[in-house]
Amino acid sequence: MAAGEEKLREPFLKNEKRYYENCSGCKVDQLKETKSGLPITELFSIWIIVLCTALPISSLFPFLYFMIRDFQIAEREEDIGYYAGYVGSSFMFGRALTSVFWGLVADRYGRKPVIIMGTASVVIFNTLFGLSVNFWMAVLTRFLLGSLNGLLGPIKAYACEIFREEHQALGLSTVSTAWGIGLIIGPALGGFLAQPAEKYPNLFSSESLFGKFPYFLPCLCISLFAFGVTIAAFWLPETLHRHNDDDSSCDVSYDALESASAEVKEEGKEAAPKKSLLKNWPLMSSIIVYCVFSLHDMAYSEIFSLWANSPKKFGGLNYSTQMVGEVLAITGFSLLVFQLSLYPFLERIFGPIMVARIAGVLTIPLLTSYPYIAMLSGFSLALLLNCASVMKNLLSVSIITGLFILQNRAVDQDQRGAANGIAMTGMSLFKAAGPAGGGALFSWAQKRLDASFLPGSQMVFFVLNVVEAIGVLMTFKPFLAQRRD
């Protein structure tokens, strides 16, 4: 008799989903069931939010070399990279201290408040960074920007929750695409708009605000964009479920059936408590691998701009900020095309782990070629440098997207904010080490141009390849595990 009742009860319960009248998350779920087409509006909303928070992270790299020089804190030209590393890493260090906090806030009060707080922090502290008058003001404003901008973890959870299951890979791909494009377009803006009184004297006087603060214009443009995004974010739907006891969207008989089903399913036992995130190996292993690749990517971003700006005598390209901006603008456009068209197709065929492995392996010979590209000049240098930059960033964003997918598949919805907060903490610590370590490595390499083993920039790219190789090895079993429901 009991078995018969269970059989009758199960289909009814499986086909019925409970919605609460005053729950914004339930309203989003109901809307998802009625919409089957491509969610263009949601994709665009996520794209501009992530772009807004990614732009200031690396927009300083093309002009950071010159900014540190103008602060006159470095005693020798070779020491500029050392101080540049501290400014570059202060953002990530600040974010590392608060990422778990913002993840918990997102799980408790909703994704939307954290998103609005993050975009508002860009408006305030990125503007102040552009007005920095000394080294320590630059470090402090970047640190505060990182501490209060904790939306990347919650926005990944949001991307999983706002889309139907068949569009979740595209949603997370949109996050990593916008993130990657922000890390490319940000430096492009920094390169084109920094020192405007020198580049565009007909538009900007040396006595104007932008002449006195030569690095303020790119920061101001990003902050104005962030201000518009902050206003628009107030109209975002909240996806976190909040179920109050007095909600009356369903009748009592359904509650009784649901309770009975739970009792039958658990065979009279109480529901098991949520598994600790730190004991969730599929989650933690993907976060650790993600951290290693993040260390590599952030160190590369810092080193690429320092290498391109540094003089030929130190093995660099002697590029201006504008020339670096042109390279990164081309890379950003290529990244957008790839992620929106090709990556979802490759992920469906090979899976996120295999795509990450292939991308990691291809990155190693590519980086090995960089010191030899620097030996070229003219058109051949510009062509090969643009091709290498495009390929490197396509491979990097493919790896990061795959690890985003693994992380969000490893936990249930009510733990995604905290899980992504843990990921952001680990990633931010590694990314904080990236610019500091990369800057110190670059300065050291410039002092050993006559070494017999890996002289100059060859040592820099060799160390980057070692980190990349470690990351690739960690994508194999038994280290990297996937959740099995």
Side-chain angles (χ1 to χ4, degrees), residues 192-213:
F192 282 119
L193 301 179
Q195 301 168 319
E198 295 180 18
K199 295 175 184 173
Y200 318 108
N202 294 331
L203 296 176
F204 302 95
S205 166
S206 59
E207 300 299 321
S208 67
L209 178 67
F210 300 109
K212 295 177 180 177
F213 298 96

Side-chain angles (χ1 to χ4, degrees), residues 226-262:
F227 180 75
V229 173
T230 302
I231 300 300
F234 281 93
W235 279 270
L236 284 176
E238 177 58 68
T239 59
L240 183 68
H241 288 268
R242 292 196 191 95
H243 298 162
N244 299 321
D245 293 337
D246 58 351
D247 279 337
S248 56
S249 61
C250 298
D251 56 29
V252 177
S253 61
Y254 183 87
D255 293 339
L257 284 170
E258 189 176 44
S259 300
S261 174

Side-chain angles (χ1 to χ4, degrees), residues 256-271:
L257 284 170
E258 189 176 44
S259 300
S261 174
E263 290 174 6
V264 171
K265 188 174 181 180
E266 297 297 326
E267 298 179 351
K269 297 179 181 179
E270 293 185 0

Side-chain angles (χ1 to χ4, degrees), residues 206-431:
S206 59
E207 300 299 321
S208 67
L209 178 67
F210 300 109
K212 295 177 180 177
F213 298 96
Y215 312 107
F216 178 53
L217 183 59
C219 297
L220 179 63
C221 291
I222 293 171
S223 296
L224 290 174
F225 173 66
F227 180 75
V229 173
T230 302
I231 300 300
F234 281 93
W235 279 270
L236 284 176
E238 177 58 68
T239 59
L240 183 68
H241 288 268
R242 292 196 191 95
H243 298 162
N244 299 321
D245 293 337
D246 58 351
D247 279 337
S248 56
S249 61
C250 298
D251 56 29
V252 177
S253 61
Y254 183 87
D255 293 339
L257 284 170
E258 189 176 44
S259 300
S261 174
E263 290 174 6
V264 171
K265 188 174 181 180
E266 297 297 326
E267 298 179 351
K269 297 179 181 179
E270 293 185 0
K274 284 290 181 183
K275 185 178 180 181
S276 169
L277 291 177
L278 297 179
K279 295 179 181 178
N280 184 338
W281 184 243
L283 172 67
M284 298 309 297
S285 62
S286 63
I287 288 176
I288 294 170
V289 178
Y290 175 49
C291 288
V292 172
F293 283 114
S294 294
L295 169 68
H296 174 276
D297 289 347
M298 203 65 182
Y300 169 81
S301 297
E302 169 102 356
I303 287 170
F304 179 81
S305 294
L306 292 174
W307 173 66
N309 290 145
S310 62
K312 282 277 189 180
K313 64 180 180 179
F314 293 128
L317 305 180
N318 201 29
Y319 268 28
S320 66
T321 57
Q322 184 171 348
M323 295 169 74
V324 175
E326 290 171 357
V327 173
L328 296 177
I330 294 170
T331 301
F333 177 76
S334 304
L335 195 62
L336 175 63
V337 173
F338 170 78
Q339 279 295 97
L340 293 182
S341 59
L342 191 55
Y343 180 81
F345 175 73
L346 293 175
E347 192 270 336
R348 283 195 297 271
I349 295 177
F350 299 106
I353 296 179
M354 185 55 68
V355 171
R357 287 173 186 161
I358 294 171
V361 169
L362 293 177
T363 298
I364 294 174
L366 180 65
L367 285 181
T368 304
S369 69
Y370 273 50
Y372 303 100
I373 292 176
M375 298 177 181
L376 304 174
S377 60
F379 176 76
S380 58
L381 170 61
L383 177 63
L384 285 179
L385 183 65
N386 277 286
C387 290
S389 179
V390 167
M391 184 61 65
K392 170 65 179 72
N393 284 280
L394 293 185
L395 296 173
S396 293
V397 82
S398 297
I399 296 170
I400 296 301
T401 302
L403 294 171
F404 277 177
I405 293 172
L406 292 180
Q407 287 169 29
N408 282 278
R409 287 177 180 173
V411 292
D412 297 323
Q413 191 213 30
D414 60 348
Q415 290 184 304
R416 279 186 188 141
N420 281 298
I422 294 173
M424 289 302 101
T425 298
M427 180 269 283
S428 298
L429 284 172
F430 276 72
K431 281 198 169 185

